[in-house]
Amino acid sequence: MTICHATASESNPYTVNWVSWNSTDNGYNIDWNGHGDHEGDIIPPFADFPGSNWNDDTAALWENGCKPVEPEPSVTPSPSVTPEPSVTPEPSVTPEPSVTPEPSVTPEPSPSPTISVLPEEVVPEEPEVVVPEVVELEDELPAAPVTADVDYTG
């Protein structure tokens, strides 16, 4: 069974422990043993065992993997702001006459881009392999004389 084992650590107050029910209660509710004697452990009720340190808050902690359950933040409405009285605008100033702009220069058209076309890649053809015809000779050719320079002196 899963229990939340108390560690006495402020940063990690509980660890998840998987234990035999025998380590929480002896089965007869006569005398606790093991984790049943640990004051801070959170043990859910089972069979005839009523649980240890079990209530709505600890049940939520146990269901959250023995990690503290962060409370939902409450939304406090912002105080409303009373608007300040509006200020009467001062009379507007009449603008001075605007200056007529100089005529603009018409830009010359830019040249059209030149598009070049690359030739297609030419893949050479495989040359044809010509196997010469075997011709049988009717007469045998005479053997060439063999000469060798041999030094027998030494």
Side-chain angles (χ1 to χ4, degrees):
M1 67 179 308
T2 303
I3 69 167
C4 293
H5 175 69
T7 65
S9 166
E10 286 185 30
S11 63
N12 188 24
Y14 295 98
T15 59
V16 176
N17 280 29
W18 293 275
V19 298
S20 167
W21 68 272
N22 289 321
S23 71
T24 60
D25 181 41
N26 66 6
Y28 302 103
N29 288 330
I30 296 171
D31 186 22
W32 292 3
N33 58 3
H35 289 280
D37 291 334
H38 295 175
E39 289 183 31
D41 286 1
I42 299 171
I43 304 171
F46 65 94
D48 291 336
F49 182 68
S52 178
N53 297 316
W54 193 257
N55 58 44
D56 289 343
D57 292 335
T58 58
L61 187 133
W62 182 83
E63 289 174 3
N64 195 38
C66 301
K67 301 281 184 221
V69 178
E70 298 297 324
E72 294 284 329
S74 61
V75 178
T76 305
S78 302
S80 61
V81 178
T82 305
E84 294 187 22
S86 62
V87 178
T88 305
E90 296 198 17
S92 61
V93 178
T94 305
E96 301 215 6
S98 61
V99 179
T100 305
E102 299 267 334
S104 62
V105 178
T106 305
E108 292 191 28
S110 60
S112 300
T114 304
I115 299 174
S116 60
V117 179
L118 297 175
E120 290 185 29
E121 182 180 342
V122 177
V123 179
E125 292 184 18
E126 292 284 326
E128 184 178 332
V129 177
V130 178
V131 178
E133 184 178 320
V134 177
V135 177
E136 291 189 29
L137 297 176
E138 291 181 17
D139 296 334
E140 286 190 29
L141 296 175
V146 177
T147 59
D149 293 329
V150 181
D151 182 11
Y152 294 104
T153 59

